[in-house]
Amino acid sequence: MFAMIGTWEMSLQGLVLGGRTLQKGGDAGDAVVEAIQYVESNPDYVSVGFGGLPAIDGQVYLDAAYMNGDTLQCGAILSCTEVSSPVAAARALCGRKTNWMLCGESAKQFARSQGIPLRDMRTEPSQKRWKEAVEQKKADEASVPYKGHDTVCVLGLDSHNHMVCGTSTSGLFLKEPGRIGDSPIPGCGYYCDTRYGAAAATGLGEDIMRGCLSYEIVSRMRSGQTAQEAAEGALLDFVRTMDRLEEKDLSISLIALAPDGSFGAATTEKLFPFTVALPSGVRLFSCSPDGDHMNILQTSSVTLDA
Ligand code: GLY
């Protein structure tokens, strides 16, 4: 048995590549990094890696993480420029006893020391998008300066029953330089314990971190809930808490994977697409809230054949 689950439709092709690695008996870590790197290197995916969403100063600052579910070791880089594969740098940090979470210049120098190429992660379209948004913001200070902050998160289980997870994002559009979201923070943007399962989050990091939602999901799986029950329950309980605090308009989507390969998802969005790779192929699903549960529909599928 092997399985992977990824956030948003942008993870589809990456899951095909990672799924093939798992099909050949490969390691979950290799498959997850391969899947995320496909997204990081593609400038058409504007919220991750190369061509990602710029901060208010026009620079692209990247956050990424990797967690090994067998050892509970993590690696993460925060607010880092020019690292061509943030998730590869995060994975290279995973296994250290100390100094496994590096930010800024230090993270960049670490990536370079690991042979991860450095490049300018800004592209012409990303600079155009930034200039237009900055001008618009000046014209209307009351406008919401960003829309869209989608992280690629991938959870993987290989045929040796090893589980890992990874995340990568450029974070909020027009963020303040130095701002960190949930994606590199364990328990918030991701968590993985091979005994119970893995979970990850995408959406507004400032809200996700208040609920430690990825840890919450894995904790519920440890208590015997299925991946779907855990994702759905963690989100709906958090929404109720935020309702009580009169905080509305949450933008949070969650994925979960159990050690038996079953999966779950939950969202506050009208529609949250996610992808799943299984021995039978890679499928695209849509998740949408419907009262106190989630509707999950398969919308398309592709085979793992090369
Ligand atoms: N979830 C990504 C971020 O808020 O930066």
Side-chain angles (χ1 to χ4, degrees):
M1 176 62 187
F2 66 81
M4 295 175 93
I5 177 167
T7 50
W8 308 106
E9 191 169 349
M10 66 180 165
S11 64
L12 187 73
Q13 193 53 36
L15 256 67
V16 171
L17 300 176
R20 285 181 190 149
T21 296
L22 295 181
Q23 197 172 41
K24 289 182 214 142
D27 175 69
D30 293 339
V32 163
V33 168
E34 197 174 8
I36 293 177
Q37 279 181 321
Y38 182 84
V39 182
E40 288 178 333
S41 60
N42 189 332
D44 294 337
Y45 302 132
V46 301
S47 54
V48 176
F50 185 55
L53 292 168
I56 193 73
D57 64 356
Q59 183 55 269
V60 175
Y61 297 94
L62 303 157
D63 299 333
Y66 176 92
M67 183 165 184
N68 179 333
D70 292 5
T71 62
L72 305 186
Q73 289 169 314
C74 307
I77 66 162
L78 293 69
S79 198
C80 181
T81 60
E82 291 175 61
V83 174
S84 59
S85 177
V87 74
R91 188 187 190 188
L93 284 163
C94 181
R96 288 178 159 200
K97 175 77 177 160
T98 57
N99 301 297
W100 56 257
M101 187 182 271
L102 296 180
C103 72
E105 190 59 26
S106 172
K108 185 162 98 181
Q109 293 317 328
F110 170 78
R112 193 211 296 267
S113 76
Q114 297 299 302
I116 298 166
L118 300 185
R119 75 189 293 194
D120 188 346
M121 299 298 269
R122 295 169 294 184
T123 58
E124 243 175 67
S126 84
Q127 290 306 284
K128 186 165 177 278
R129 202 172 300 117
W130 165 68
K131 277 192 191 117
E132 284 170 3
V134 168
E135 275 158 26
Q136 191 186 330
K137 197 181 172 219
K138 276 189 188 136
D140 177 8
E141 285 296 329
S143 72
V144 178
Y146 44 76
K147 185 74 189 159
H149 33 74
D150 305 336
T151 305
V152 62
C153 309
V154 179
L155 316 176
L157 162 74
D158 65 27
S159 52
H160 314 288
N161 300 318
H162 171 46
M163 293 189 84
V164 308
C165 64
T167 64
S168 185
T169 185
S170 53
L172 285 183
F173 189 26
L174 304 187
K175 66 186 174 185
E176 287 180 29
R179 175 263 183 196
I180 309 295
D182 59 304
S183 305
I185 309 297
C188 297
Y190 63 98
Y191 200 75
C192 182
D193 182 328
T194 300
R195 295 169 297 174
Y196 312 119
T202 173
L204 185 63
E206 281 80 351
D207 286 342
I208 294 165
M209 289 189 280
R210 292 167 75 185
C212 295
L213 290 174
S214 295
Y215 184 79
E216 175 66 22
I217 294 171
V218 176
S219 170
R220 285 171 187 245
M221 289 196 276
R222 186 179 59 212
S223 306
Q225 293 188 5
T226 65
Q228 184 56 36
E229 287 166 350
E232 209 168 284
L235 185 68
L236 295 176
D237 279 355
F238 186 64
V239 169
R240 278 183 214 110
T241 301
M242 295 299 264
D243 265 350
R244 194 171 47 76
L245 299 169
E246 295 184 11
E247 300 216 23
K248 310 279 177 208
D249 301 325
L250 299 180
S251 172
I252 300 175
S253 301
L254 304 168
I255 54 172
L257 182 65
D260 66 359
S262 60
F263 58 88
T267 189
T268 60
E269 303 285 351
K270 280 199 185 83
L271 184 70
F272 167 54
F274 67 96
T275 61
V276 177
L278 294 167
S280 53
V282 182
R283 302 177 200 162
L284 176 65
F285 289 89
S286 72
C287 172
S288 38
D290 184 2
D292 60 0
H293 75 280
M294 299 287 148
N295 268 334
I296 296 195
L297 295 172
Q298 183 182 326
T299 54
S300 63
S301 68
V302 289
T303 69
L304 284 171
D305 299 339

